[in-house]
């Protein structure tokens, strides 16, 4: 250590000399390495008064003699988005070119009127074309925040065309992952990819899958003359519903845009970026045997468990037979023809016909007077004494005045209940809660001649309409 560092200052020396001595002691020890950045300053005002612009912040590198420069950048730019400019507003680059109108350039006293020229190599130079003449002149760099070219997403910053990353910082290169997280690694969501191969026994609408709320990067594809259909939670079709084929195009559904494409191959695809703001039901309008429907989407991890449970509870694939259906003609098979299957003769039904329960008034009466209305799949039927007990799996609840389990027993009076429920079919049911006077029995009752209709998209819409017409 040099003599200055070993020197002990006398009390009469100034404080400034003491600080200078300490600094030299530090430097004399051979300080190496990079300097240190000061904290980032605050963001500046937006460079534009409307539309898109840039905001900048800076920091300084503090380093002592012998230290290296700081690693990193001293200025950072981010995108700022203000309300759109009013119609007829002069573009930012036009304003910069117009600043040179009437001013002599090119070493002469001749003046010109200047307008932007976009055919020059560097789009972040202020290249302006002399109106009425076949030449342009570069006046240096454009101001920060100038669009690189008309309609482009990039903005010019320090002479370079930069695009904003998902973090809003220009030139950061930050991208959203498949889960929608900026700079993420796809670890906060799960990839769902399956093929629906149910061959189908009849023509009509078949459920393929539930696309849950929060799904992203949805893709569905198939190659057949069948048609993909999409339904919202309100029971209304987004496309290809009610036996009508929709034209290809972009459709709004569940807070996202769904791009529907159909080729002559034949091939159909559905694509949506997401995220979906509510559940969507994907169906297939079957006209010929199903060769397979591929679907995929990304789902947040916290939504994957409920999606699995809901899928299992619904017993996917679930089929809904529709009115006006025709049997699907099977494709001819090569090889020897199989003998026709024997069709057993059914004994006549001993139960008398049920009264007619069709009509809007009947639906409204039972919906408004019931304790529960739900969509259910009949798992089994058991007749005992003068009652019939159905075991059902509840899939969708429209109205409830109490808790329900995923599987319940529904009781109907008589050995021949009206209307009857067939096992392995889905129904919309209006149910009353029946509690015995002593409280020992608590049952769900389907009244005689009550509301029990086979589930269909049309009936789903009708029951939702009935819900809005009940007296409050």
């Amino acid at each position: 250590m040099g003599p200055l560092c070993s020197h002990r200052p006398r009390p009469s020396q100034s404080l400034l000399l003491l600080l200078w001595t300490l600094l030299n002691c530090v430097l004399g020890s051979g300080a190496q390495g990079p300097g240190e950045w000061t904290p980032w300053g605050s963001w500046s005002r937006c460079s534009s008064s409307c539309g898109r612009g840039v905001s900048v912040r800076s920091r300084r590198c503090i380093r002592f003699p012998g230290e290296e420069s700081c690693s990193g950048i001293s200025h950072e730019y981010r995108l700022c988005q203000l309300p759109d400019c009013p119609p007829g507003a002069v573009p930012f680059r036009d304003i910069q070119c117009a600043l040179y109108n009437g001013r002599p350039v090119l070493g002469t006293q001749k003046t010109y009127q200047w307008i932007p020229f976009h055919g020059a190599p560097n789009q972040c130079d202020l290249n302006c074309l002399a109106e009425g003449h076949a030449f342009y002149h570069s006046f240096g760099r454009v101001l920060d925040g100038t669009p690189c070219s008309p309609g482009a997403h990039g903005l010019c910053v320090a002479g370079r065309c930069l695009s904003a990353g998902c973090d809003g910082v220009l030139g950061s290169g930050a991208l959203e992952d498949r889960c929608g997280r900026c700079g993420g690694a796809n670890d906060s969501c799960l990839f769902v990819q399956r093929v629906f191969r149910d061959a189908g026994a009849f023509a009509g609408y078949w459920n393929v899958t539930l696309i849950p709320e929060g799904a992203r990067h949805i893709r569905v594809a198939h190659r057949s003359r069948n048609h993909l259909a999409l339904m919202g939670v309100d029971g209304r079709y987004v496309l290809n519903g009610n036996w009508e084929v929709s034209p290809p195009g972009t459709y709004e559904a569940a807070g996202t845009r769904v791009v529907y494409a159909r080729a002559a191959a034949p091939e159909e695809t559905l694509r949506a970026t997401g995220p979906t703001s509510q559940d969507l039901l994907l169906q297939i309008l079957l006209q010929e045997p199903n060769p397979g429907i591929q679907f995929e989407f990304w789902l947040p991890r916290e939504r994957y468990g409920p999606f699995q449970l809901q899928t299992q509870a619904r017993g996917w694939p679930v089929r809904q037979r529709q009115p006006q259906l025709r049997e699907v003609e099977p494709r001819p098979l090569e090889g020897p023809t199989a003998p026709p299957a024997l069709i057993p003769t059914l004994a006549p039904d001993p139960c008398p016909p049920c009264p007619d329960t069709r009509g809007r008034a009947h639906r409204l009466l039972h919906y408004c007077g019931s304790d529960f209305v739900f969509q259910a799949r009949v798992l089994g039927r058991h007749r005992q004494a003068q009652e019939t007990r159905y075991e059902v799996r509840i899939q969708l609840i429209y109205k409830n005045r109490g808790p329900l389990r995923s599987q319940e027993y529904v009781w109907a009076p008589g050995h021949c209940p009206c209307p009857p429920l067939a096992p392995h079919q889905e129904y919309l049911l209006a149910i009353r809660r029946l509690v015995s006077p002593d409280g020992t029995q608590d049952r769900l009752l389907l009244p005689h001649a009550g509301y029990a209709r086979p589930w269909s998209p049309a009936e789903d819409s009708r029951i939702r309409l009935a819900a809005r017409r009940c007296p409050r």
Side-chain angles (χ1 to χ4, degrees):
M1 186 173 293
L4 184 60
C5 296
S6 60
H7 172 70
R8 295 179 179 271
R10 294 190 300 272
S12 60
Q13 291 180 301
S14 67
L15 179 60
L16 181 60
L17 179 59
L18 175 61
L19 294 176
W20 183 83
T21 302
L22 294 175
L23 179 60
N24 277 274
C25 289
V26 173
L27 295 178
S29 61
Q32 298 294 330
E36 292 187 2
W37 288 109
T38 62
W40 282 106
S42 57
W43 289 101
S44 69
R45 294 180 60 182
C46 192
S47 63
S48 177
S49 59
C50 62
R52 296 189 309 150
V54 294
S55 181
V56 61
R57 65 177 181 176
S58 61
R59 58 182 179 174
R60 294 177 56 199
C61 178
I62 304 298
R63 61 190 181 110
F64 296 115
E67 287 186 331
E68 299 174 3
S69 297
C70 303
S71 59
I73 56 176
S74 60
H75 290 74
E76 195 172 58
Y77 300 84
R78 72 176 179 184
L79 181 70
C80 48
Q81 183 71 53
L82 299 176
D84 291 340
C85 296
V90 180
F92 195 24
R93 191 181 289 259
D94 292 58
I95 294 175
Q96 296 174 62
C97 282
L99 293 175
Y100 295 92
N101 289 346
R103 295 172 58 180
V105 295
L106 306 177
T108 70
Q109 294 302 311
K110 193 169 184 180
T111 61
Y112 303 91
Q113 299 295 308
W114 302 97
I115 59 174
F117 176 67
H118 298 287
N122 190 346
Q123 54 190 349
C124 286
D125 281 346
L126 183 57
N127 303 302
C128 303
L129 178 71
E131 283 192 287
H133 299 80
F135 69 90
Y136 74 92
H137 182 66
S138 179
F139 293 98
R141 293 178 179 175
V142 295
L143 296 177
D144 288 345
T146 304
C148 301
S149 60
H153 291 290
L155 297 176
C156 292
V157 171
R160 294 185 302 154
C161 182
L162 301 178
S163 296
C166 58
D167 54 0
V169 176
L170 292 163
S172 69
L175 300 173
E176 274 193 358
D177 67 0
R178 309 301 281 183
C179 314
R181 292 179 60 186
C182 185
N186 299 331
D187 54 359
S188 64
C189 59
L190 295 173
F191 185 44
V192 178
Q193 185 180 45
R194 297 175 187 172
V195 179
F196 176 80
R197 298 190 182 277
D198 204 317
F202 50 81
Y205 288 92
W206 287 53
N207 287 347
V208 176
T209 186
L210 182 76
I211 301 176
E213 176 184 351
R216 291 176 179 268
H217 302 286
I218 303 160
R219 182 183 178 275
V220 186
H222 76 104
R223 292 176 177 269
S224 71
R225 293 191 305 111
N226 302 322
H227 294 291
L228 299 170
L230 202 60
M231 178 191 290
V233 292
D234 57 357
R236 297 181 181 179
Y237 278 101
V238 177
L239 56 89
N240 291 341
N242 304 315
W243 297 87
E244 296 180 359
V245 178
S246 306
T250 302
Y251 295 80
E252 297 287 340
T256 188
R257 291 184 176 182
V258 179
V259 180
Y260 170 53
R262 185 170 62 242
E267 180 182 13
E268 271 188 332
T269 59
L270 288 180
R271 295 177 182 270
T273 302
T276 53
S277 59
Q278 53 186 280
D279 293 348
L280 289 171
L281 178 60
L282 177 66
Q283 296 182 326
I284 185 73
L285 176 54
L286 204 63
Q287 301 183 86
E288 64 182 24
N290 171 33
I293 302 167
Q294 301 175 357
F295 63 89
E296 61 184 50
F297 49 83
W298 291 77
L299 200 59
R301 284 184 176 272
E302 64 273 14
R303 296 187 185 275
Y304 186 75
F307 164 66
Q308 287 286 79
L309 293 175
Q310 204 168 4
T311 300
Q312 294 168 3
R314 287 174 175 261
W316 298 104
V318 182
R319 298 172 289 278
Q320 297 93 30
R321 195 160 187 168
Q322 303 290 327
Q324 304 175 355
L325 301 183
R326 61 175 178 80
E327 294 296 321
V328 174
E329 294 292 336
R331 294 175 176 172
L333 301 177
E334 298 181 358
T337 304
L342 297 178
I343 302 177
T345 302
L346 300 178
D349 192 347
C351 295
C354 291
D356 189 0
T357 58
R358 294 175 296 178
R360 180 167 41 186
H362 179 269
R363 183 186 304 107
L364 187 63
L365 174 68
H366 283 274
Y367 186 98
C368 299
S370 65
D371 297 308
F372 305 94
V373 178
F374 50 74
Q375 175 190 348
R377 183 178 181 84
V378 179
L379 303 179
R381 177 180 60 192
H382 178 67
R383 289 171 175 163
Q384 58 185 51
Q386 295 301 314
E387 293 179 310
T388 301
R389 186 189 72 186
Y390 297 102
E391 183 180 1
V392 301
R393 177 185 291 132
I394 297 175
Q395 298 179 339
L396 183 62
I397 299 174
Y398 298 80
K399 175 183 178 181
N400 65 310
R401 292 180 177 170
L404 288 171
R405 296 171 297 181
S406 59
Q407 288 190 202
E408 292 277 6
Y409 288 119
V410 172
W411 299 80
H415 190 70
C416 293
C418 284
L421 305 183
H424 313 301
Q425 299 296 319
E426 289 189 14
Y427 294 89
L428 282 173
L429 304 175
I431 302 296
R432 293 179 182 174
R433 185 180 182 185
L434 183 63
V435 182
S436 62
D438 58 2
T440 58
Q441 285 189 341
D442 187 350
R443 288 181 170 182
L444 301 181
L445 175 68
L446 175 63
H448 179 74
Y451 175 84
R453 308 276 178 90
W455 189 94
S456 70
E459 191 63 26
D460 174 271
S461 298
R462 297 186 190 110
I463 201 67
R464 292 178 187 273
L465 183 60
R468 298 197 292 266
R469 295 182 175 176
C470 288
R472 299 294 180 182

